[in-house]
Amino acid sequence: MEAAVTRNRSFRDFLIYLYRAARAIVLGHAVTLKHLFRRPVTIRYPEEEYHATPWHRTYPALVIDEATRELKCTACMSCERACPPGIIAIERAQGEDKKTYPGEFWIDMLRCMECGICVEVCPFDALEMVPEYKMTAYHPDDGIFDKERLAVVVRGPKTPWPRRKGSYLEGGWPT
Amino acid sequence: MVEGDKAQPAMNDGTRQVLEAIRRDHPDWQPEVTRWGEVQLRVGREDLQAVARALRDDHGFNYCPSETVVDYVKEGRFELDVRLFNLDTGAKLVLKSDLPRDDATCPTLAGVWATCKWHEREIWDMFGVRFEGHPDLRRVFLSESFQGYPLRKDFVDARKPRPRLVRQR
Amino acid sequence: MPAWLVTLGWAVLKASLILGFVLFNALFLVWWERKFAARIQSRVGPQRTGRPFGYLQSMADVFKLLSKEDVVPARVDRWMYVLAPIVIFVPAVLVYVVVPFGPNLIVQDLNIGILYVAAVTSFTMIAIVMAGWAANNKYSVVSAMRAAAQLVAYEVPLVLAVIGPVMLAGTLSLQGIVRAQEGLWYIVVQPLGFLVFLTAGMAELNRAPFDLSEAESELVAGYNIEYSGMRWSFFFLAEFSNLVAVSAIATTLFLGGWQAPWFLPAAVKGLIPPVVWFLAKTYFLVTVIMWIRWTLPRVRIDQLLDFGWKFLLPVSLANIALTGLLFPVLVRLGWI
Amino acid sequence: MGGARTRPEPQTGARENVIELPVLAEGSVEEISGRTRQRARFRGDFEYPGDDFEGPNVNRWQYLPQTPPVEDLLVEEVREIEGNEREMVMNMGPQHPSTHGVLRCVLGLRGEAITRCRPDIGYLHRCHEKLNELWSYQGTIALSDRLDYLAAMTNELAFVLAVEKLLEIEPTERADYIRVICSELQRIASHLLFFGTTALDLGAVTPFLHSFREREAVYDVFEYISGARLLYNYMRFGGVRTDFPPGTDKKIREVLDLLENRLPEYHDLLSYNPIFAVRTQGVGVLSRDDAIAWGAAGPVLRGSGVAYDLRKADPYSGYEKFDFKVCVEESGDVWARFMVRMKEIEESIKIIRQALDGLPEGDARGQVPRFIKPPPGEVYARVEGPRGELGCYVVSDGSDKPYRCHWRTPSFHHVSLLEFVPVGHLVADVVAIIGSMDPVFGEVDK
């Protein structure tokens, strides 16, 4: 572009080069000066929080049916089979009414790659990716989530993944 | 997966010209056309270098995006798969060669396309195919102390398995 | 009280004042540079320690550095390794002996003040070479070699740029040069000299775009790569101390030192004490140097030397010639 | 003077609506986690390396299984250099701020001049191709994100195109447009990162943070579209995972406007700076023939004067419908590669605008079963990623997992160029050259 190598040029070219170089440097400083008066874009985390989109995928959680206050999961093992890193472990249990439910449901969040495939394959909408990104722990074992840690109530609009064709607009959009 | 008239429209002009040129100049090469409109040549490994050189010099295949090996363990062979491309005409060509599994050696293509130097290092690293005449055949990803060639289908990791969550698939 | 005791008392008092000034400077400038850089980069910068502006951040850093383990790597040249931080720090403080903060606010107004400054600041090179060599690390050796070449190349234009004001003022004493600028600051008649001085001064300081000896993207941290804790912070202290020193000398030589701007009416001049003028100008220059640092990329060593020897040196020589030619004219005009 | 904040404004009420944690058990999250841990221990389900360590109670993570000592094959080379009195060996990396990850370059130095350079890679090797053989096709999409993690969309696209060819299905037209928009946004994001890291390698910190600020804006769009910021898992066989949420069009256009405003600032700040010019012009010259022979691709190839762009040369996903030009520079130096990328940002903006204008209605998700078993066969599909030709070679044996999956990753070949390009330059130029190759070690080491 403009700024060029100065070797083997006439003195006049050198002066032109000098002018261009000086102008470019001044322009660069003008940009930085302009930024002195711009607002920072930093989010100061504990005080201000980053609001991820409601359908942000952080980890798969077990959905509780609000009407019955029970997990929607029927322990059909679809997610366990589909999970690429194989970190979901379910122990199926059977209630008195012959309905199956997950006796244990473990997700090793230390290895979870947050792909959301478990949510996609779930035939009962019993898993949801939740945008809850505060998952720090003091011990690696805390990264293994069990049924109690995973259970959430999903209220209001659902996450937009279309389980079945055309379903996602029915829940309405959180705007 | 090879041949078929319905695949012909996918072939671009450069490839068509190359196909004609090869049929004209080298009647013994037996080019085929794949479903995706590429010319496919299957050559013996002893002819590999000569064919490659001819392709580069006479047919303008100056660009080699990919060279790899597939382990067909049941058939007892490795299949060398070299993808070639002509940057000027857009012709596409696949060079295939069968390497017996019990004698996994192959003449190097590093002298034809310089990029094969690293491709072949990767193949040596992962499949243990020794490329004869390669200038710098070292493992590229794994350390030299690694035992075995991990992408071979019969590779068994002798190390103690790392513990993980309950079920192994 | 015997006379020697009085002298000693004054000396100790002055020394501690300077040391205090240097330390305070470092604390303030670390914070200031961080805040300044942050705003240029659309960030916030320090904010937690000392809310809301993080003004206690440098204090926190001091405590952190003090509490760090004193690591001496196994294969270093121990004596040089230990001495280098001291060798770099002492001359950084010594410069302030001749800096005129005000009409009477100077430790010692040496009549060869400028020469003293040039001599003392060159010590930095020895310290950097010591540190680089002692650390027994290839990166730091390369860094030391770079620093040596760089300091030799830029010492010459620096001193030559100083000659302009000296010619105009007719004295080597810094106080004398300041007094000579009562009518007009020398930056007006010496713009070229000022630019050369600032550029060469930045190179002396190892500030970007000339921070080749600690180029973190190439040499990781250069000569202080193996230093940590308090030893490392001595390099840091010296860097900021030198930064203020160079700005102060530039202020003295070209911006009228503690003099108020010459065009202001006398009544206004009397309102603000000279030392405030001096510090304001100095910190303004410091900020400009920071501004340059956070704007420009780093040059390469051969380009740096090219620039020093083939551009700055001729320009500074031309500046001297120009000054000599213009001197009678300026005197005739009554500007000096 | 309030500059535009790139973060989206908080979605009011959204988060409160969606989840409530936790509800089955009483107690705080920490308490529940603690209980979980105790029960897990009791059940003996989980174990960690070092669990069986008997000794003082120190951090057990230190006691990972020891690997046998590594014999460094470069040792011979190093000895050879050190045998020469006037040369010095310098190990640049694998832990070095400017090697873009974990590249190790063994440099032979004479003074500061490079006499030889041996790139050594593999420090981030993750058995990617082996995992491809173990995971289902669906999981492999998610895994391919991890190759070039700065351009996850294009990785997915390469794999998806390959499998679609095997399945003999065509994506819907809307999905094609969405794919184009996503790949071009990804290209912008990746090139913005390149701009920043190149500036950082050359010692300018400010452009780095400026470009990351704009990159975050692009990632905000990705988060809005796909629910993730970096690794999207968005492409699907026959379409994409979800259609654009309402308002995506506006969001993307806002980002494009922002970029068009900020690009001149970048040029003022860095591109036209004389120091930047002398640091990059004539440095690391890669001749046209070398670039072709060594398999360089993308901006590195185009910087050497080869007008080769897969979007034109072998169009996929309907790129032939868009009007854009292939950016070429003749000089083949760091400057050329830099300028090619900066121009490509502008071209990408043009493509995205066209695609948004022409975005057809319809289904974005094809009617493809979730679990697929492609017929036996093999296919090589390639896309023009931000770093160049990204090829995916898939062999299917009719099962639900790829029989073999080979990735042709451009960065791998760009790293191989380091064997000869830096020779004769100075140490400071090596970082500029590495930066101009823009390797991503996720895809170099696979």
Side-chain angles (χ1 to χ4, degrees):
Chain A
M1 309 289 312
E2 293 176 9
V5 181
T6 54
R7 279 178 213 112
N8 305 325
R9 299 279 183 87
S10 69
F11 186 65
R12 187 171 160 277
D13 283 349
F14 175 69
L15 285 184
I16 291 172
Y17 167 78
L18 215 58
Y19 164 71
R20 283 183 177 162
R23 197 186 60 180
I25 287 180
V26 169
L27 278 177
H29 283 83
V31 171
T32 41
L33 187 66
K34 204 156 62 182
H35 276 86
L36 268 185
F37 305 103
R38 277 189 183 156
R39 273 173 65 202
V41 294
T42 316
I43 293 177
R44 304 171 202 207
Y45 168 59
E47 294 90 13
E48 301 173 58
E49 283 197 11
Y50 174 66
H51 292 274
T53 44
W55 50 93
H56 188 97
R57 313 197 306 261
T58 302
Y59 69 88
L62 283 170
V63 179
I64 292 176
D65 194 342
E66 266 204 282
T68 59
R69 301 296 289 177
E70 278 174 4
L71 290 175
K72 281 186 176 179
C73 178
T74 60
C76 71
M77 308 283 180
S78 294
C79 48
E80 187 183 308
R81 277 196 299 275
C83 179
I87 50 130
I88 299 181
I90 309 172
E91 279 177 18
R92 187 184 285 173
Q94 212 162 26
E96 290 166 6
D97 52 352
K98 301 281 181 189
K99 272 188 184 172
T100 52
Y101 66 93
E104 296 285 2
F105 195 109
W106 309 87
I107 296 184
D108 184 354
M109 282 307 297
L110 300 173
R111 295 178 198 271
C112 179
M113 59 195 270
E114 290 153 18
C115 58
I117 287 178
C118 50
V119 179
E120 272 183 81
V121 299
C122 182
F124 302 102
D125 293 0
L127 279 163
E128 283 284 358
M129 296 302 279
V130 289
E132 178 63 49
Y133 54 82
K134 285 178 233 167
M135 296 200 296
T136 48
Y138 290 103
H139 192 278
D141 284 353
D142 291 347
I144 295 170
F145 287 13
D146 71 346
K147 203 168 70 173
E148 296 176 349
R149 176 75 172 83
L150 287 169
V152 297
V153 170
V154 176
R155 290 213 192 88
K158 280 181 188 167
T159 51
W161 310 118
R163 301 272 150 49
R164 287 170 286 279
K165 191 169 173 289
S167 70
Y168 66 90
L169 280 177
E170 288 158 18
W173 283 84
T175 43
Chain B
M1 58 163 291
V2 168
E3 204 61 57
D5 284 324
K6 62 167 186 158
Q8 289 292 349
M11 200 162 54
N12 60 25
D13 293 341
T15 315
R16 198 166 291 131
Q17 286 161 15
V18 163
L19 184 62
E20 284 163 13
I22 287 176
R23 283 197 172 132
R24 189 181 60 233
D25 298 348
H26 309 281
D28 53 327
W29 280 6
Q30 298 167 349
E32 298 164 357
V33 179
T34 65
R35 271 198 295 182
W36 332 115
E38 300 145 332
V39 179
Q40 180 171 315
L41 286 180
R42 192 172 285 273
V43 296
R45 62 175 163 174
E46 59 282 352
D47 302 335
L48 196 64
Q49 274 186 337
V51 172
R53 217 171 282 279
L55 284 174
R56 184 192 66 179
D57 296 338
D58 304 340
H59 302 286
F61 285 103
N62 45 8
Y63 192 69
C64 170
S66 168
E67 179 185 7
T68 188
V69 154
V70 187
D71 179 11
Y72 291 106
V73 64
K74 284 177 192 154
E75 300 162 36
R77 66 184 173 102
F78 290 120
E79 188 180 85
L80 184 75
D81 173 287
V82 187
R83 302 273 152 175
L84 296 177
F85 195 72
N86 184 335
L87 289 185
D88 306 315
T89 63
K92 291 187 268 189
L93 190 138
V94 191
L95 195 58
K96 296 253 182 195
S97 182
D98 283 344
L99 318 170
R101 249 174 143 267
D102 43 9
D103 174 31
T105 57
C106 178
T108 179
L109 295 179
V112 188
W113 297 282
T115 178
C116 291
K117 196 173 152 187
W118 277 53
H119 279 307
E120 285 168 3
R121 278 180 70 185
E122 189 190 341
I123 295 170
W124 161 243
D125 194 359
M126 291 293 153
F127 289 93
V129 176
R130 181 173 288 281
F131 285 90
E132 306 288 344
H134 190 284
D136 183 25
L137 200 63
R138 290 182 284 127
R139 297 198 105 145
V140 67
F141 294 137
L142 306 175
S143 70
E144 287 298 322
S145 57
F146 191 88
Q147 300 287 318
Y149 304 103
L151 277 183
R152 288 190 178 193
K153 289 282 176 184
D154 55 358
F155 171 74
V156 179
D157 192 354
R159 297 170 303 172
K160 191 184 158 198
R162 287 186 66 186
R164 56 183 297 171
L165 185 57
V166 253
R167 277 187 193 78
Q168 291 274 0
R169 280 182 306 157
Chain C
M1 215 188 289
W4 63 269
L5 200 61
V6 176
T7 319
L8 186 70
W10 273 112
V12 168
L13 183 67
K14 285 170 173 174
S16 33
L17 272 177
I18 288 180
L19 214 56
F21 179 71
V22 167
L23 294 177
F24 170 78
N25 254 330
L27 287 184
F28 170 70
L29 287 179
V30 167
W31 175 82
W32 174 241
E33 174 143 37
R34 283 178 168 191
K35 278 309 231 192
F36 188 78
R39 287 313 295 263
I40 278 182
Q41 295 162 354
S42 287
R43 293 187 288 120
V44 183
Q47 46 168 330
R48 303 244 175 260
T49 31
R51 282 163 199 258
F53 300 116
Y55 50 84
L56 289 179
Q57 184 63 47
S58 356
M59 284 305 289
D61 284 349
V62 167
F63 287 124
K64 183 198 76 173
L65 288 169
L66 278 172
S67 60
K68 281 212 165 186
E69 186 190 353
D70 180 27
V71 181
V72 181
R75 291 224 182 144
V76 298
D77 190 331
R78 210 187 149 82
W79 272 103
M80 282 219 268
Y81 182 84
V82 173
L83 275 179
I86 302 167
V87 175
I88 202 170
F89 184 65
V90 171
V93 182
L94 280 181
V95 183
Y96 288 93
V97 168
V98 293
V99 172
F101 289 91
N104 302 310
L105 208 59
I106 183 167
V107 177
Q108 190 68 51
D109 183 17
L110 297 177
N111 55 359
I112 50 153
I114 276 295
L115 277 186
Y116 174 84
V117 169
V120 166
T121 48
S122 317
F123 258 92
T124 320
M125 177 185 78
I126 296 175
I128 289 180
V129 174
M130 277 170 75
W133 179 260
N136 192 16
N137 182 310
K138 284 163 184 170
Y139 287 103
S140 64
V141 170
V142 171
S143 150
M145 295 304 134
R146 281 183 178 186
Q150 180 179 346
L151 274 128
V152 170
Y154 280 77
E155 197 71 29
V156 181
L158 188 79
V159 174
L160 288 178
V162 165
I163 289 178
V166 171
M167 285 165 74
L168 295 179
T171 171
L172 285 173
S173 145
L174 289 176
Q175 200 66 285
I177 293 175
V178 174
R179 287 188 202 285
Q181 295 181 64
E182 188 161 4
L184 185 71
W185 293 358
Y186 285 160
I187 187 173
V188 181
V189 289
Q190 291 273 334
L192 218 51
F194 176 69
L195 286 179
V196 171
F197 185 86
L198 204 62
T199 316
M202 268 155 51
E204 290 267 295
L205 285 171
N206 286 326
R207 294 291 286 188
F210 306 116
D211 59 342
L212 291 165
S213 50
E214 54 178 74
E216 72 278 350
S217 59
E218 303 143 25
L219 300 182
V220 192
Y223 54 87
N224 47 28
I225 189 168
E226 298 284 5
Y227 283 89
S228 62
M230 224 32 225
R231 291 187 211 278
W232 175 81
S233 59
F234 268 111
F235 288 101
F236 209 65
L237 273 178
E239 185 186 328
F240 278 99
S241 164
N242 280 330
L243 175 61
V244 177
V246 165
S247 306
I249 302 291
T251 308
T252 308
L253 294 177
F254 296 100
L255 295 181
W258 39 263
Q259 304 264 18
W262 72 96
F263 46 79
L264 289 183
V268 184
K269 277 184 187 174
L271 282 179
I272 301 170
V275 65
V276 175
W277 278 116
F278 181 83
L279 289 180
K281 290 176 201 172
T282 305
Y283 283 118
F284 172 73
L285 274 188
V286 167
T287 310
V288 167
I289 292 176
M290 286 177 182
W291 181 20
I292 293 170
R293 171 179 178 178
W294 293 108
T295 304
L296 295 180
R298 182 184 302 118
V299 298
R300 209 170 55 203
I301 180 71
D302 56 330
Q303 293 156 356
L304 179 88
L305 298 181
D306 271 5
F307 185 67
W309 289 115
K310 295 183 186 168
F311 185 76
L312 279 190
L313 186 64
V315 168
S316 52
L317 284 172
N319 183 48
I320 294 174
L322 270 177
T323 314
L325 288 174
L326 287 178
F327 188 63
V329 184
L330 292 173
V331 171
R332 181 72 51 85
L333 285 172
W335 282 17
I336 47 175
Chain D
M1 285 268 206
R5 283 175 76 95
T6 55
R7 295 283 188 185
E9 289 303 312
Q11 310 262 347
T12 46
R15 273 167 51 77
E16 292 77 5
N17 273 352
V18 173
I19 57 163
E20 182 184 289
L21 273 176
V23 289
L24 270 194
E26 289 175 7
S28 66
V29 170
E30 286 79 12
E31 285 170 14
I32 293 172
S33 296
R35 262 180 274 154
T36 307
R37 183 205 314 175
Q38 282 166 9
R39 286 170 54 201
R41 296 240 142 261
F42 178 71
R43 286 156 45 93
D45 275 346
F46 311 106
E47 47 176 309
Y48 289 97
D51 261 4
D52 50 349
F53 175 71
E54 291 174 9
N57 184 16
V58 289
N59 184 358
R60 57 197 181 140
W61 292 94
Q62 292 174 1
Y63 295 91
L64 291 168
Q66 292 292 309
T67 48
V70 177
E71 188 190 332
D72 195 339
L73 250 216
L74 290 172
V75 149
E76 286 303 313
E77 193 118 14
V78 167
R79 288 224 182 92
E80 191 191 324
I81 301 175
E82 285 192 332
N84 186 346
E85 273 184 14
R86 310 196 58 158
E87 278 187 52
M88 174 171 94
V89 178
M90 190 193 251
N91 256 309
M92 192 176 253
Q95 292 160 345
H96 187 280
S98 304
T99 50
H100 289 230
V102 284
L103 169 65
R104 171 179 171 224
C105 283
V106 181
L107 303 175
L109 293 186
R110 182 179 288 236
E112 267 203 54
I114 313 285
T115 55
R116 69 186 83 198
C117 177
R118 284 282 170 273
D120 182 23
I121 60 175
Y123 294 90
L124 200 64
H125 182 57
R126 309 183 300 282
C127 324
H128 196 283
E129 291 175 3
K130 188 78 179 174
L131 280 176
N132 286 157
E133 294 175 12
L134 301 174
W135 287 19
S136 67
Y137 282 94
Q138 197 179 22
T140 303
I141 301 178
L143 189 65
S144 68
D145 284 342
R146 274 83 181 159
L147 268 176
D148 178 357
Y149 40 78
L150 300 176
M153 284 286 187
T154 44
N155 300 341
E156 291 171 14
L157 186 55
F159 182 71
V160 165
L161 285 178
V163 178
E164 278 172 1
K165 277 188 181 179
L166 275 179
L167 290 168
E168 293 189 330
I169 52 173
E170 287 285 322
T172 63
E173 202 191 353
R174 185 175 172 86
D176 260 349
Y177 272 74
I178 289 178
R179 286 175 180 184
V180 167
I181 291 171
C182 287
S183 335
E184 293 307 314
L185 277 175
Q186 189 71 77
R187 192 183 315 281
I188 291 175
S190 173
H191 285 352
L192 282 175
L193 182 126
F194 161 80
F195 173 85
T197 49
T198 303
L200 199 62
D201 288 345
L202 298 177
V205 185
T206 304
F208 172 74
L209 285 140
H210 285 189
S211 75
F212 266 57
R213 182 186 59 196
E214 268 70 82
R215 180 169 163 265
E216 286 299 311
V218 180
Y219 278 178
D220 282 340
V221 171
F222 278 134
E223 189 193 332
Y224 191 74
I225 294 173
S226 71
R229 292 184 79 78
L230 196 68
L231 307 167
Y232 312 107
N233 190 16
Y234 184 58
M235 304 287 175
R236 285 291 176 274
F237 309 121
V240 292
R241 179 176 182 155
T242 48
D243 203 344
F244 278 166
T248 308
D249 184 273
K250 185 163 153 279
K251 261 181 187 292
I252 296 177
R253 282 179 202 276
E254 276 172 9
V255 170
L256 297 185
D257 291 342
L258 177 78
L259 279 170
E260 279 180 345
N261 286 333
R262 294 283 167 82
L263 277 177
E265 269 184 18
Y266 292 178
H267 290 309
D268 281 349
L269 192 55
L270 189 72
S271 312
Y272 300 149
N273 189 299
I275 298 178
F276 181 73
V278 293
R279 278 301 301 275
T280 53
Q281 286 177 349
V283 171
V285 177
L286 177 66
S287 73
R288 191 192 143 95
D289 292 343
D290 277 347
I292 293 172
W294 282 81
V300 179
L301 188 60
R302 293 196 280 280
S304 294
V306 184
Y308 173 60
D309 189 327
L310 281 175
R311 292 174 292 174
K312 289 274 191 203
D314 189 8
Y316 54 93
S317 288
Y319 264 109
E320 64 275 4
K321 291 177 217 154
F322 301 108
D323 170 38
F324 64 99
K325 64 173 192 284
V326 179
C327 310
V328 186
E329 292 276 334
E330 297 296 329
S331 52
D333 50 10
V334 175
W335 169 260
R337 300 193 270 274
F338 175 85
M339 282 323 283
V340 165
R341 289 193 173 93
M342 294 316 281
K343 284 184 197 162
E344 274 185 13
I345 293 183
E346 289 165 23
E347 294 301 318
S348 290
I349 292 175
K350 258 164 61 182
I351 297 175
I352 297 172
R353 283 200 195 283
Q354 291 170 36
L356 283 177
D357 291 338
L359 190 64
E361 293 296 320
D363 203 351
R365 188 177 172 135
Q367 300 299 315
V368 180
R370 189 164 284 131
F371 294 102
I372 54 163
K373 289 188 176 179
E378 55 168 47
V379 65
Y380 177 76
R382 47 194 197 163
V383 298
E384 181 74 23
R387 278 158 198 80
E389 172 171 346
L390 183 82
C392 181
Y393 173 66
V394 183
V395 181
S396 164
D397 60 349
S399 70
D400 60 342
K401 292 165 186 169
Y403 184 74
R404 166 99 173 96
C405 191
H406 173 70
W407 291 87
R408 189 267 182 213
T409 49
S411 294
F412 181 72
H413 301 282
H414 294 164
V415 166
S416 76
L417 291 172
L418 294 176
E419 280 192 2
F420 61 94
V421 173
V423 173
H425 290 297
L426 301 180
V427 174
D429 292 329
V430 177
V431 293
I433 292 167
I434 296 174
S436 74
M437 302 296 179
D438 198 15
V440 170
F441 275 78
E443 73 171 14
V444 175
D445 288 348
K446 289 191 275 207

